[in-house]
Amino acid sequence: MNVWSLSTKVFTGIDSLERLKSLKKKSIFIVCDPFLIGSLIFKEIITLLIEKDNQLQVYSKVTPDPPITEVVQCMDEMQGFRPEVVLAIGGGSAIDLTKGVIFFSEKISSVPIEKFVVIPTTSGTGSEVTSVSVITDNKNDIKYPLVDNSMLPDEAILNPKLVLSSPPKVTAYSGMDVLTHALEALVAKNADTYTDALAEKAIEIIFEELVRCYENGDDLESRLLMHEASCLAGMSFNLAGLGISHALAHQVGGKLHVPHGLANTMLLPHVVKLNARNENAKKKYVRIMKRLKPDKNIGSEDMLIENLSHSIKSLAIQLDCPLSLTDFGIEKSLSRKYLDEVIRNAKKDFTFKTNPVEPSDQELGGIYTSIH
Ligand SMILES: NC(=O)c1ccc[n+]([C@@H]2O[C@H](COP(=O)([O-])OP(=O)(O)OC[C@H]3O[C@@H](n4cnc5c(N)ncnc54)[C@H](O)[C@@H]3O)[C@@H](O)[C@H]2O)c1
Ligand SMILES: [Fe+2]
């Protein structure tokens, strides 16, 4: 028996910030991405909350790929304030930092938080609807995904106005992260009809809208669609799981400090080819290819898989993404140095378990080496 449910309430659209008016006379701890400080949109949010007699405390010392030391610092501030509501506004890093704080706070404090609300500012991680938080151990350069339902947000507010300021690079890398979530969830071991529906729709939107968002960041309609695709992909992988693109991307991010979405961009075309060895995965890739490019729906299944891998690369090229670590400026000798460690740690990553194919060490190393 499969049980299927979505826990986070999603408020979406240009007017979705109105939802904040439901918070009245609460103490609210806000974790906010530093780029927002001083912006008009942040002022709008603060004004909405103050008008309803809420008491606010803002924490904005968020760095990309949040380290565990930052979680401890933020947790200290939050514990001092003892909020009823926690509100995270920002990219995946700000949201994951907040989730880490909630996770550890619940372990040491007996006062639970009434409500956890998330407003994403990148169309990328889908973290607003997942029970996952990725925290970095800076001493050992390892990214640790924590997975626990205590971190699942109660509400997510998807407002495209929050993404308008996203620079082209952030738009490109986070958008390619969405594609990786959707394509990995589609073939993951726990995928079912429902998670497939979410993943397939997300993939369609990405191929239609991501370049438009990249080239014209002010296109509100495209921005909303990409924001929704990110959320759909998050819902899908939260239930279906991810795969070895993420297992390797977490190592590439930890050791070589490559932005998460970019690491996935480089890895995904190779992972798709390996995973097509699984008949079910192959069937799903072929089906999505036929939907995406009906005019190119000719040739063998193997050719369609080749086409899918090629389509991912050509999307990345349109987004000016470097396709290898060397193109990103990392010396081959440095990437090579980490080969054994990358293989060892990727196999321990929680996303490895749900990949449709269990690769040998040689195959895993081969994918890593192919992006040098
Ligand atoms: N929790 C999950 O389910 C999950 C899934 C995938 C990735 N992740 C993690 O999320 C992190 C990546 O998150 P991300 O891709 O959202 O990037 P990010 O949060 O690291 O943000 C990247 C940069 O863009 C800035 N930024 C964000 N939104 C902006 C906007 N609207 N305008 C201007 N600048 C903006 C940030 O300040 C930051 O400097 C990684 O640590 C990754 O491992 C988590
Ligand atoms: Fe990701």
Side-chain angles (χ1 to χ4, degrees):
M1 179 175 69
N2 272 353
V3 180
W4 204 85
S5 76
L6 292 170
S7 313
T8 307
K9 249 191 196 173
V10 177
F11 299 82
T12 180
I14 190 77
D15 55 352
S16 53
L17 287 178
E18 291 286 305
R19 174 62 187 166
L20 291 174
K21 290 183 179 165
S22 67
L23 297 172
K24 292 172 191 152
K25 298 190 177 172
K26 299 284 181 196
S27 50
I28 308 176
F29 187 72
I30 304 175
V31 178
C32 140
D33 206 302
F35 86 87
L36 282 162
I37 298 295
S39 68
L40 283 177
I41 194 89
F42 189 61
K43 261 189 207 150
E44 189 186 326
I45 290 170
I46 296 294
T47 307
L48 277 174
L49 294 172
I50 288 176
E51 276 172 4
K52 298 288 172 194
D53 289 336
N54 294 295
Q55 284 201 338
L56 312 179
Q57 180 155 322
V58 177
Y59 180 94
S60 66
K61 287 169 259 163
V62 181
T63 46
D65 301 326
I68 188 73
T69 44
E70 225 167 72
V71 174
V72 174
Q73 194 186 4
C74 182
M75 191 163 75
D76 276 352
E77 288 201 23
M78 189 176 95
Q79 299 253 308
F81 185 58
R82 298 174 79 84
E84 292 159 300
V85 176
V86 175
L87 172 61
I89 318 173
S93 296
I95 303 170
D96 281 9
L97 169 74
T98 317
K99 285 170 143 182
V101 168
I102 288 178
F103 176 78
F104 290 111
S105 293
E106 292 212 342
K107 299 248 169 295
I108 56 170
S109 158
S110 53
V111 190
I113 286 147
E114 273 176 32
K115 197 183 261 191
F116 175 30
V117 182
V118 171
I119 309 181
T121 64
T122 57
S123 304
T125 65
S127 188
E128 69 275 12
V129 287
T130 72
S131 3
V132 183
S133 162
V134 185
I135 302 298
T136 299
D137 168 357
N138 269 352
K139 253 195 207 145
N140 300 303
D141 284 337
I142 295 178
K143 285 176 100 170
Y144 287 109
L146 300 171
V147 190
D148 195 280
N149 279 342
S150 63
M151 296 183 289
L152 199 57
D154 298 297
E155 294 185 2
I157 297 177
L158 304 184
N159 193 306
K161 286 196 283 179
L162 271 298
V163 207
L164 289 182
S165 56
S166 167
K169 248 188 206 163
V170 174
T171 302
Y173 297 171
S174 54
M176 289 303 285
D177 191 25
V178 183
L179 181 62
T180 314
H181 295 156
L183 271 169
E184 292 215 294
L186 185 69
V187 299
K189 279 193 177 150
N190 299 332
D192 60 23
T193 316
Y194 303 92
T195 58
D196 282 1
L198 296 164
E200 284 177 5
K201 187 66 192 170
I203 295 164
E204 271 182 38
I205 296 176
I206 298 155
F207 276 101
E208 279 166 18
E209 304 296 336
L210 180 53
V211 174
R212 225 191 307 264
C213 284
Y214 176 70
E215 288 177 349
N216 182 9
D218 292 335
D219 187 332
L220 211 52
E221 208 177 307
S222 279
R223 287 289 202 184
L224 177 60
L225 281 165
M226 263 313 293
H227 224 28
E228 291 180 328
S230 170
C231 187
L232 293 175
M235 287 169 174
S236 183
F237 88 70
N238 197 46
L239 297 166
L242 288 168
I244 54 173
S245 185
H246 269 81
L248 287 166
H250 290 148
Q251 315 319 317
V252 173
K255 292 286 171 223
L256 301 167
H257 308 288
V258 177
H260 175 72
L262 179 60
N264 275 318
T265 309
M266 295 176 190
L267 292 159
L268 186 62
H270 305 283
V271 170
V272 162
K273 286 207 218 170
L274 179 106
N275 282 348
R277 192 164 82 204
N278 174 295
E279 278 308 314
N280 191 38
K282 187 181 206 168
K283 215 168 68 192
K284 288 182 171 186
Y285 288 150
V286 167
R287 189 174 67 207
I288 195 71
M289 233 6 235
K290 287 183 176 176
R291 272 173 66 171
L292 287 176
K293 309 237 162 130
D295 52 322
K296 292 196 180 149
N297 172 14
I298 34 173
S300 66
E301 290 195 337
D302 287 340
M303 275 173 72
L304 287 174
I305 301 297
E306 219 22 84
N307 254 339
L308 176 58
S309 172
H310 181 76
S311 301
I312 298 164
K313 277 192 196 159
S314 77
L315 178 61
I317 290 167
Q318 288 180 78
L319 301 169
D320 304 312
C321 295
L323 282 177
S324 69
L325 294 171
T326 317
D327 287 351
F328 184 63
I330 295 170
E331 298 269 340
K332 276 195 170 67
S333 55
L334 183 64
S335 331
R336 252 186 244 129
K337 191 176 111 185
Y338 292 120
L339 177 67
D340 291 341
E341 211 175 332
V342 163
I343 297 173
R344 201 168 49 245
N345 289 339
K347 281 167 38 182
K348 288 188 213 150
D349 194 281
F350 86 107
T351 57
F352 183 85
K353 294 194 287 284
T354 41
N355 198 66
V357 168
E358 190 171 329
S360 64
D361 286 7
Q362 206 182 5
E363 286 170 323
L364 209 52
I367 292 181
Y368 173 61
T369 310
S370 62
I371 68 162
H372 290 184

